[in-house]
Amino acid sequence: MKTTNATQNWGYQNPSFWMALLIALMIIMVGLKFFFIPEQSATDFGISFDSSRDIPFGYIKGIRDIFSGIVLLPLLYFRMKRAVAWVLAMVIIVPVTDFILVWKVSGIQNWTHMLIHDLTVLYIIFTCYLLFGKKK
């Protein structure tokens, strides 16, 4: 059994690496925004808070998003292409459920916010397609 991570030919020269890094950094930024300015972030997300008692939910979302982005960073650093692909494949559930939440709370009239979540899903799916595509 191999106990060390073999260096792969995948990394900085591959567009899929930068696409995955962008996902990680953007979701960390969204999480930090939710953690530090939760009320504005909730409005930008597509679901405004009803009262200041809702603010802790912004912190929860912020921490969730920060973790979702940070978990990718060591995998990218060590150029673990398959691991990045699998984590991203599982992370798709986050923007999918975000879309559903915005739809359930705000309805179809909030289509711009729902579109942002949809485009995020499509971007992650395309990145996964590239990552799973070639076995280098």
Side-chain angles (χ1 to χ4, degrees), residues 25-111:
L25 295 176
M26 292 301 291
I27 199 66
I28 290 169
M29 288 174 47
V30 168
L32 288 170
K33 185 177 174 193
F34 259 97
F35 197 77
F36 290 108
I37 47 173
E39 291 168 311
Q40 179 61 49
S41 299
T43 301
D44 294 345
F45 177 83
I47 302 173
S48 298
F49 293 146
D50 289 332
S51 74
S52 62
R53 295 185 62 162
D54 295 335
I55 290 175
F57 292 105
Y59 299 144
I60 292 167
K61 179 175 173 11
I63 292 166
R64 177 196 77 172
D65 287 349
I66 292 167
F67 171 78
S68 295
I70 286 177
V71 75
L72 286 165
L73 296 180
L75 303 176
L76 288 162
Y77 178 79
F78 290 111
R79 299 184 304 167
M80 300 171 74
K81 180 180 178 183
R82 298 299 271 185
V84 170
W86 280 109
V87 169
L88 284 177
M90 291 181 284
V91 159
I92 289 173
I93 195 168
V94 175
V96 168
T97 55
D98 289 348
F99 169 87
I100 293 168
L101 289 171
V102 171
W103 179 40
K104 288 184 74 125
V105 171
S106 301
I108 195 70
Q109 69 272 12
N110 202 348
W111 66 271

